[in-house]
Amino acid sequence: MAMIILGALVPVFGLILLGYGCGRTHLLGDHAFEVLNRFVISVTLPALTFRSIAHMAPADLAEPSMMAAVIGGALTTYAIGFGIEKALGHNGSEANIAGLCASFSNTGFVGLPIAVLTFGQATMAPVAVSMLLYSAVIFTVGVVVSEVTTHPGPGVSAGLKLAGRSVLRNPLILLSTLGVGWCLLGLSIGGPLDILLQTLAQATAPCALTAIGIFIALPREKASPGPIGRSVMLKLAVHPLITAGFVLILPPMPPLWAKIAILMAAMPSGASSFVLAGKAGGWAMELSAWAVTLTTIFASLSLIGIVWGLGI
């Protein structure tokens, strides 16, 4: 079991290390970080989300208890992370990234292979639903809060209007919505279009993780251990515990779907939080980069306990 988990995490470390080497040697030029970051959030991540949703069966969207557990666990953890950093004096943009680091899971690059290797191919549907919820719901909350806090305007109403316009123009939100419609209509994707989308989707994690490594290599102020430690604890301990609580109090769901809801909550922080952190400034980028790196390291231990507890 430990080897399965480590096998899924080693590529994450490798890509971050590769990015660090590129950053230290300037192999990709001075603007590599900005270009990779923009490429992920505008092109590859939307393609990944659309393709994942569009290939789902409509029936897979009909597990309301599991969906409520995933969303409830993530948003509750997000609120805790956001509230703590706001109470400690950080602005809304920074607190938003802290909340995302604590609640946005790496369901695709780490979660999917671990789920399939431990529970079998039957996990594909619940993992796909989890990916949909984290991308289309949790990340959308982060986008909206980012817009409201970064461009507050003359008041909350103006900020919400600006956020609404930004969301409507956001490629990730647009393609998530299109994917849901595609799925519900029972349309198919095949041939060259599917190959193109698959190729773009597969570039998401490598580009995002390489960008994190490049960022870590950039000269900057020393990281603040307090917020990083809080984010790591919230992500790996609090998030799965809260999700498990929702699983217990909500109406029954298929046992495998319940296990996947908890397992996905226990995954390390997804790199998408780092992609959004660019708008929040250096403190938020520092927090996100180290949260992704450290939760991935410590997940190699915590996931063993989670998987054992789920009855493997």
Side-chain angles (χ1 to χ4, degrees), residues 116-226:
V116 171
L117 289 171
T118 53
F119 291 99
Q121 289 294 323
T123 61
M124 291 297 295
V127 171
V129 171
S130 297
M131 292 173 63
L132 162 64
L133 297 175
Y134 280 105
S135 297
V137 179
I138 310 307
F139 193 74
T140 298
V141 169
V143 171
V144 172
V145 174
S146 175
E147 293 297 333
V148 172
T149 55
T150 304
H151 306 100
V156 175
S157 177
L160 288 174
K161 289 180 180 178
L162 182 61
R165 289 195 295 269
S166 178
V167 167
L168 290 175
R169 295 193 300 265
N170 186 288
L172 178 63
I173 308 306
L174 290 174
L175 285 180
S176 295
T177 304
L178 179 61
V180 171
W182 201 283
C183 171
L184 293 177
L185 291 173
L187 302 176
S188 61
I189 303 177
L193 175 59
D194 191 46
I195 294 173
L196 173 62
L197 290 171
Q198 181 180 26
T199 303
L200 288 171
Q202 290 172 342
T204 301
C207 288
L209 293 168
T210 301
I212 290 174
I214 294 173
F215 175 77
I216 292 175
L218 295 175
R220 63 195 188 282
E221 296 181 4
K222 187 177 180 181
S224 178

Side-chain angles (χ1 to χ4, degrees), residues 23-253:
R24 293 289 293 179
T25 60
H26 300 283
L27 182 64
L28 301 180
D30 295 334
H31 302 289
F33 166 70
E34 291 84 357
V35 173
L36 278 176
N37 221 31
R38 197 175 303 122
F39 180 62
V40 170
I41 198 169
S42 300
V43 180
T44 66
L45 186 59
L48 168 64
T49 305
F50 170 75
R51 186 175 183 273
S52 299
I53 301 170
H55 275 288
M56 292 170 56
D60 292 335
L61 299 176
E63 286 293 343
S65 291
M66 188 267 198
M67 297 173 75
V70 171
I71 294 173
L75 289 184
T76 302
T77 308
Y78 170 89
I80 294 172
F82 184 97
I84 290 174
E85 299 308 325
K86 201 74 170 65
L88 292 175
H90 294 286
N91 62 45
S93 294
E94 294 171 339
N96 178 46
I97 298 304
L100 278 179
C101 288
S103 61
F104 190 86
S105 293
N106 190 336
T107 54
F109 199 62
V110 177
L112 178 60
I114 289 178
V116 171
L117 289 171
T118 53
F119 291 99
Q121 289 294 323
T123 61
M124 291 297 295
V127 171
V129 171
S130 297
M131 292 173 63
L132 162 64
L133 297 175
Y134 280 105
S135 297
V137 179
I138 310 307
F139 193 74
T140 298
V141 169
V143 171
V144 172
V145 174
S146 175
E147 293 297 333
V148 172
T149 55
T150 304
H151 306 100
V156 175
S157 177
L160 288 174
K161 289 180 180 178
L162 182 61
R165 289 195 295 269
S166 178
V167 167
L168 290 175
R169 295 193 300 265
N170 186 288
L172 178 63
I173 308 306
L174 290 174
L175 285 180
S176 295
T177 304
L178 179 61
V180 171
W182 201 283
C183 171
L184 293 177
L185 291 173
L187 302 176
S188 61
I189 303 177
L193 175 59
D194 191 46
I195 294 173
L196 173 62
L197 290 171
Q198 181 180 26
T199 303
L200 288 171
Q202 290 172 342
T204 301
C207 288
L209 293 168
T210 301
I212 290 174
I214 294 173
F215 175 77
I216 292 175
L218 295 175
R220 63 195 188 282
E221 296 181 4
K222 187 177 180 181
S224 178
I228 295 172
R230 289 190 291 272
S231 293
V232 171
M233 180 62 66
L234 284 170
K235 184 70 203 70
L236 297 182
V238 177
H239 187 188
L241 284 175
I242 291 176
T243 302
F246 274 98
V247 168
L248 290 174
I249 65 175
L250 287 167
M253 66 190 79

Side-chain angles (χ1 to χ4, degrees), residues 3-13 109-111 113-114 117 296:
M3 293 306 298
I4 290 175
I5 294 172
L6 287 174
L9 295 176
V10 165
V12 176
F13 300 138
F109 199 62
V110 177
I114 289 178
L117 289 171
T296 302

